[in-house]
Amino acid sequence: MVKYIIKRLLNGLIVLLGVVTITFFITRVVPSDVAGKWAGERATEEQRKQAIAELGLDKPLVTQYVNYLKDLLSGDLGRSLRTKEPITKELASYFPATMELVLVAFLFAMFVGIPMGIYSAKKNGKMLDHTTRFFSIGAVSLPTFWVAMVFQLVFYRLLNWLPLGGRMSISASLMYDVPNVTGMLILDCILTGSWGLLGDAFVHIIMPGFTIALYPIGLVARMTRSALLEILNEDYITAAKSYGIREGRVLWRYALKNSLGATATVVALSMGYSLTNTFLTETIFSWPGLGSYVSKSVTTLDYPAIMGIAIISAIFYVILNLVADIIIALDPRIRL
Amino acid sequence: MNQKMKDILRPTIKELRDMIFMLRKNALTMAAVIALILILVIALLAPVIVPYPQDIADKTNLSVKFQPPSSAHLFGTDELGRDVFSRVLYGTRISLSTAVLAVALSLVIGVPLGAVAGTSGGAVDEVIMRITDIFLSFPPMLLAILLVSMLGPSLNNAILAIALAWWPWYTRIVRGQAISLKERKFIQAAETIGTPKWKIVAKHIIPNTISPVVVQASMDMGGVILTIASLSYLGLGAQAPSPEWGLMISTSRNYFPDIWWYSVFPGIAIFITVLAFNLLGDGVREILDPKTRKK
Amino acid sequence: MKRSLVLMLAVILVASLFAGCVQGGGKTTTDAILYYACGSEPYLTLDPSVENSNGVCVLQNVYETLTRYNDQTGEVEPYLATSWTHNDDGTVWEFTLREDVSFHDGTKMNANAVKKSIDRTIKLGKGAAYIWTNVESVEVVSDYVVRFNCSESTSIDLIASAAYAAYIISEDACDKDGDWFNSEEGNDGGSGPYTVKSLVTGDQVMLSAYDGYWREWKENSYKMVVIKKHVESGTRRQLLETGDAHVGYNFSTTDIAALKANEKVEVKYLNTYNNILLFFNSEKQPCSNEDFRKALAYSFPYEEVINGVLENRGQLSHGLVTPGLWGHDENCKQYEFNLDKAREYLEKSGIDVSSVKLEFSIQSGYTEYKDLAQLWQTYLKEIGITMEIRERGWDSHIEHARATRPEDRQDIFIMIWWPDYADPSSWFQSMVHSQETPAFNLSYIKNPEWDAKIEEAMRLTATDRTRAEELYKEVQEGVLDGAYMIPVYDQVLTCVVSKEIDGFYYNPAYPNSVLFFNITHK
């Protein structure tokens, strides 16, 4: 078991190195006026030369690569060409906000997706099953950016139930000291006991969180359903039923427990999709996270920032994969 | 060649017939099939059936911009006075053709690599699979965004980027198939009579993995269509004046919610198309999965 | 166990919902806060020597410059400097400073601080630092007199009023680096009416009033200002409609229409010094042909773009220099939309249109570019020319135009331009003067005669402005006559201001920024 996890960890490290290498060379191969960006829009030739030296662009590519790796190991991702800020600082500011959304989406996926899947499995083949199946498949078929717009139209403009966007209202941010422990506002509020701000933050996360949760909800519901169906057909369940144990009890006690492994794997992986979906919706919800940072960095060809984003997303993915692998490994029905 | 084709096709046709039989028992999946046929017909006949074919790329008329839906313009008009209904219908053609191209391209990359990895084993297998791991540990959308921003935004580059992000999935499937095929008698026979490895891969392995791959590919269509729309929405895919759905929503965002029809209808078009593909995929999966079939 | 956990979570969530409702009513604190909704990040860096972007909207209120440009009179006015003189050939300038100004850190604003600030900006050499190119040294003459020595005649008074790279920083802050200025705790070294209270990187800036400011605060001035990013026009509109935000810029036509109907706000159309220009690639077939370029110029639907697409967010251009600035020529040659003339020139050019496929490169994220491009495309089609639209992010857009080989570049380019300070030289020096490797000369013009005239005009700016103006007019006449580049329209900014506030004024020399000091609540 330990050996297996170590092996997966090493595998993850190799993957990370690969991601770093590939993004590094993709971003360097494309001809681009990096020096011009560093020195500024309307820079003179002299300023440009100064910039080239500052950035070490006069050195051979391999040397640049080695230097990048060295810096990376010491936790230095370089500076953004656009803002001239350290990338690590920018990521530290943007990533927690996105992470918060992804985690909230994860919670929604668990609390809505799993019951939906169970229900659907219980009513297998009946009208209700078809309905929930339709909803769960519908959820993964919606363009997230469009859903975000429609939600704003309905819940802000028409019903005025939820705020339009942002992480908290301006008045709340002035009334309370905004805690900053992890960068995830809701968690920080709970940690520091800022209950007043917590309510405000919670109201703000519902709409973006649910938009992003749609995909995992659909996925989790489908997965739970099929995993449950598979188990419900197995002999020991039939046996349990024939012993006269109530159906509900069979479902919750035996079947669900055994299907959790498969579901958890899908949940973990669907968080990866959630991450991507934040890229599409954060600007719509004025959410100060990685998504807006991605589109800004990509359109301005801010290479150090793009590299930073690639690395942090890859780390996130690798960790998720690792978690999924461990869950599978813990599942006694799978022999390694 | 012909005989061989038939040999390959015969079991596939039989499988297909079984599948259709199973499909007919599932109303939801059947509805999806009908919807898909309709969508296909729209895509094929778009230039002929749209009421204002000129509005696709040749004409603008600012005097009728932002008209709400009416009998003349079922879905209203856009910021340049073009008929949204015509453009949404025409968009079907773009979305389907680009998605098919993207999937085909990722098959071209993924299938041979998977077949080689599966048959060779050892170091070659290890290297190929590590490479797929690297690609799979990247959010496909992010990889596509990265690539397109490097290559320059255009629909063709978006297709290329999606293919580059998608191929590892097919590599994995084909590799799995190839490993099991390797043990089969006819492959071993070919090996003993000294058939070169590339020939075994090309003639025996790849043709025999076609049906699971095609099934997987058709299930992926929905996801690919969504990805293309997302890229276009970010300005990294289709270019104006193309009536691509994602691009239309991206432009319409500026006029939302006053000109709601401009945003709502392309979104519904994406939803219906992707949903139809996903329902079909789900139905097919259910049929192929022996465990759920038991019941 | 699990069930109790779920229950606990549910209780917390419900409790927090109630908490949210209770706090929702607390409007009292927001009354004294000015909320400024901007369309993109409020700043890239808050280092006043370096920032060359949106950050002006913050810096203008936190820092001050020696002089300030009055767009009504066209004159440069005293700000931190009370008066200034220069020698006959405009190479030595002396500024006398106010003696009652202190920086936010408590130190006095004096000649040392001015020297250190300008030296710092020149030494860092980033952003708009090049405006000081001609300055050889800055000297402290006495505590409150500072001297600029220039290599050639330069109008330092105008340059000192620039919106970028001309801010005076406290001596202590001059020793700090960008990280200090961009710290989320809010650091600055300015002397302006507001200090930076806190930041949220890339999203929000909070300013609070500086009590020791040298001008007097009014009773009902805003003591707090929030500058916050809202990317979507629709979001900014909704914030103004609900009364949350007080000022917002740049709205789509439909949002403007809706806001005009709203009684709580006023829609303003603000003239700017910004114009939108088309550049034809004069080094590549077919745009290397002058008649072909003219055919293109006559095929562009100027009026339709202004009336139909922009809906008053633009005005017909006359010449390269925008109205309100000296050097502007109302009678400058201007092309009109005339497809017959376009056909005529097309024939004259002798170019076989069937083989032509033009690439029109536009910056992404701007619907007006996309719309005018599509409109133009349909008219070009009418005269038989095929044009493809390529939308790119700004950096790819500009880098494509700077590709090493002219053949790799686009055929037509579009970009917005504004002067770094209130002087027409910017258009000519950057876009007409020949450049070895093109930076912004994106028609790739190489004309030694024009180069000489531009250099002469820049030299004469401080001493013989009438002659300088004549020279600029001659050059722009030539550029337009040869149809190298076409000014399409002068940008008119849409700004929506809440009726709760008074004292809003927009000075086009300071893009997208407002002096919050002058704003009061009713």
Side-chain angles (χ1 to χ4, degrees), chain A residues 85-218:
Chain A
E85 296 251 359
I87 303 292
T88 38
K89 183 192 162 194
E90 302 207 316
L91 288 178
S93 150
Y94 295 127
F95 192 66
T98 295
M99 205 50 222
E100 192 179 16
L101 270 187
V102 171
L103 285 176
V104 166
F106 163 79
L107 287 180
F108 276 132
M110 298 293 281
F111 285 113
V112 182
I114 293 181
M116 223 165 119
I118 296 172
Y119 202 63
S120 184
K122 230 163 89 180
K123 307 270 172 192
N124 185 22
K126 297 196 186 118
M127 198 56 215
L128 273 165
D129 176 31
H130 287 314
T131 319
T132 44
R133 257 186 76 206
F134 180 81
F135 275 113
S136 60
I137 295 171
V140 300
S141 310
L142 282 162
T144 329
F145 49 93
W146 182 75
V147 174
M149 287 164 71
V150 173
F151 276 2
Q152 281 189 337
L153 179 68
V154 175
F155 295 108
Y156 175 79
R157 235 191 134 69
L158 298 181
L159 301 172
N160 203 13
W161 286 356
L162 294 170
L164 186 63
R167 295 178 88 181
M168 58 190 134
S169 58
I170 293 288
S171 55
S173 71
L174 292 168
M175 216 171 331
Y176 307 101
D177 281 330
V178 179
N180 193 354
V181 187
T182 59
M184 291 186 239
L185 192 59
I186 291 189
L187 190 61
D188 288 355
C189 287
I190 295 174
L191 288 178
T192 58
S194 315
W195 305 113
L197 191 59
L198 177 66
D200 190 63
F202 181 73
V203 170
H204 277 79
I205 210 169
I206 295 177
M207 202 158 45
F210 195 71
T211 307
I212 292 179
L214 274 179
Y215 194 94
I217 286 176

Side-chain angles (χ1 to χ4, degrees), chain B residues 4-5 41 61 67 85 93 135 137 175 180 284:
Chain B
K4 233 174 240 161
M5 260 330 250
V41 169
N61 185 359
Q67 300 275 313
F85 180 64
R93 196 181 169 86
F135 276 86
S137 69
R175 174 178 174 267
S180 65
V284 170

Side-chain angles (χ1 to χ4, degrees), chain A residues 137-144 215 222, chain B residues 32 35-36 39 92 95-96 99 218-230 245 266-282:
Chain A
I137 295 171
V140 300
S141 310
L142 282 162
T144 329
Y215 194 94
R222 282 164 81 184
Chain B
L36 276 178
I39 289 167
T92 319
S95 290
L96 285 195
S218 68
M219 293 200 285
D220 286 348
M221 280 291 287
V224 171
I225 290 174
L226 260 187
T227 311
I228 288 173
S230 304
W245 295 330
I268 292 176
I270 297 178
F271 175 59
I272 291 177
T273 313
V274 176
L275 180 68
F277 273 112
N278 284 347
L279 280 175
L280 177 73
D282 196 63

Side-chain angles (χ1 to χ4, degrees), chain A residues 32-33 37 39 41-42 47 79 82-83 85 89 94 156-157 164 170-171 174 176 199 202 296 300, chain C residues 13 16 23 30 33 35 41 125 127 130 179 182 201 237-238 241-242 394-395 399 417-418 420 440:
Chain A
S32 159
D33 181 21
K37 240 167 285 170
E41 276 292 283
R42 304 179 183 181
Q47 288 174 4
R79 275 169 186 271
R82 200 164 55 90
T83 62
E85 296 251 359
K89 183 192 162 194
Y94 295 127
Y156 175 79
R157 235 191 134 69
L164 186 63
I170 293 288
S171 55
L174 292 168
Y176 307 101
F202 181 73
K296 246 321 190 282
T300 54
Chain C
L13 294 184
S16 53
Q23 250 77 34
T30 49
I33 299 168
Y35 190 144
E41 296 152 302
Y130 55 84
D179 295 345
N182 295 323
T201 307
R237 159 191 165 183
Q238 284 171 334
E241 281 175 343
T242 54
W394 167 254
D395 293 78
E399 274 167 27
W417 192 261
W418 64 91
D420 302 310
F440 288 100

Side-chain angles (χ1 to χ4, degrees), chain A:
Chain A
M1 181 67 202
V2 175
K3 221 168 121 192
Y4 170 79
I5 290 174
I6 289 173
K7 200 182 148 207
R8 298 306 303 175
L9 251 172
L10 281 177
N11 225 336
L13 284 178
I14 294 171
V15 165
L16 278 183
L17 185 69
V19 168
V20 173
T21 312
I22 290 177
T23 33
F24 183 88
F25 286 101
I26 290 180
T27 52
R28 299 303 149 117
V29 162
V30 178
S32 159
D33 181 21
V34 176
K37 240 167 285 170
W38 180 252
E41 276 292 283
R42 304 179 183 181
T44 60
E45 207 42 52
E46 217 166 293
Q47 288 174 4
R48 250 166 231 277
K49 277 187 194 128
Q50 195 186 333
I52 289 175
E54 267 176 49
L55 296 168
L57 293 171
D58 42 358
K59 300 195 182 77
L61 200 60
V62 178
T63 320
Q64 287 184 42
Y65 174 65
V66 172
N67 286 343
Y68 188 87
L69 283 187
K70 268 190 208 152
D71 288 344
L72 185 65
L73 284 179
S74 60
D76 179 7
L77 287 165
R79 275 169 186 271
S80 154
L81 298 177
R82 200 164 55 90
T83 62
K84 278 129 196 125
E85 296 251 359
I87 303 292
T88 38
K89 183 192 162 194
E90 302 207 316
L91 288 178
S93 150
Y94 295 127
F95 192 66
T98 295
M99 205 50 222
E100 192 179 16
L101 270 187
V102 171
L103 285 176
V104 166
F106 163 79
L107 287 180
F108 276 132
M110 298 293 281
F111 285 113
V112 182
I114 293 181
M116 223 165 119
I118 296 172
Y119 202 63
S120 184
K122 230 163 89 180
K123 307 270 172 192
N124 185 22
K126 297 196 186 118
M127 198 56 215
L128 273 165
D129 176 31
H130 287 314
T131 319
T132 44
R133 257 186 76 206
F134 180 81
F135 275 113
S136 60
I137 295 171
V140 300
S141 310
L142 282 162
T144 329
F145 49 93
W146 182 75
V147 174
M149 287 164 71
V150 173
F151 276 2
Q152 281 189 337
L153 179 68
V154 175
F155 295 108
Y156 175 79
R157 235 191 134 69
L158 298 181
L159 301 172
N160 203 13
W161 286 356
L162 294 170
L164 186 63
R167 295 178 88 181
M168 58 190 134
S169 58
I170 293 288
S171 55
S173 71
L174 292 168
M175 216 171 331
Y176 307 101
D177 281 330
V178 179
N180 193 354
V181 187
T182 59
M184 291 186 239
L185 192 59
I186 291 189
L187 190 61
D188 288 355
C189 287
I190 295 174
L191 288 178
T192 58
S194 315
W195 305 113
L197 191 59
L198 177 66
D200 190 63
F202 181 73
V203 170
H204 277 79
I205 210 169
I206 295 177
M207 202 158 45
F210 195 71
T211 307
I212 292 179
L214 274 179
Y215 194 94
I217 286 176
L219 216 55
V220 168
R222 282 164 81 184
M223 200 57 210
T224 310
R225 176 181 179 272
S226 63
L228 266 181
L229 280 181
E230 190 180 312
I231 290 165
L232 285 175
N233 281 326
E234 272 175 35
D235 297 340
Y236 71 97
I237 296 284
T238 329
K241 274 188 201 160
S242 60
Y243 281 130
I245 301 173
R246 264 187 297 126
E247 198 168 347
R249 202 178 158 80
V250 170
L251 191 73
W252 287 98
R253 263 286 151 82
Y254 301 100
L256 190 61
K257 212 166 165 187
N258 284 324
S259 73
L260 273 180
T263 311
T265 317
V266 175
V267 171
L269 294 178
S270 73
M271 283 170 79
Y273 282 96
S274 302
L275 183 69
T276 316
N277 277 336
T278 62
F279 298 167
L280 292 166
T281 46
E282 277 184 3
T283 45
I284 300 177
F285 289 118
S286 308
W287 196 263
L290 207 57
S292 348
Y293 188 56
V294 170
S295 54
K296 246 321 190 282
S297 305
V298 164
T299 49
T300 54
L301 302 182
D302 189 349
Y303 298 119
I306 294 174
M307 296 266 326
I309 296 160
I311 290 169
I312 200 165
S313 330
I315 291 176
F316 183 67
Y317 253 54
V318 166
I319 291 175
L320 284 180
N321 276 304
L322 201 65
V323 170
D325 284 342
I326 292 171
I327 294 171
I328 292 172
L330 289 174
D331 194 331
R333 292 174 307 147
I334 297 167
R335 256 169 266 124
L336 296 173

Side-chain angles (χ1 to χ4, degrees), chain C residues 257-284:
Chain C
L259 285 162
K260 270 185 178 161
N262 190 314
E263 282 177 4
K264 286 194 280 186
V265 297
E266 188 185 348
V267 175
K268 292 177 186 272
Y269 289 92
L270 308 168
N271 287 327
T272 65
Y273 295 158
N274 317 347
N275 57 359
I276 281 76
L277 303 126
L278 285 179
F279 300 77
F280 298 129
N281 185 343
S282 66
E283 286 189 333
K284 179 183 171 186

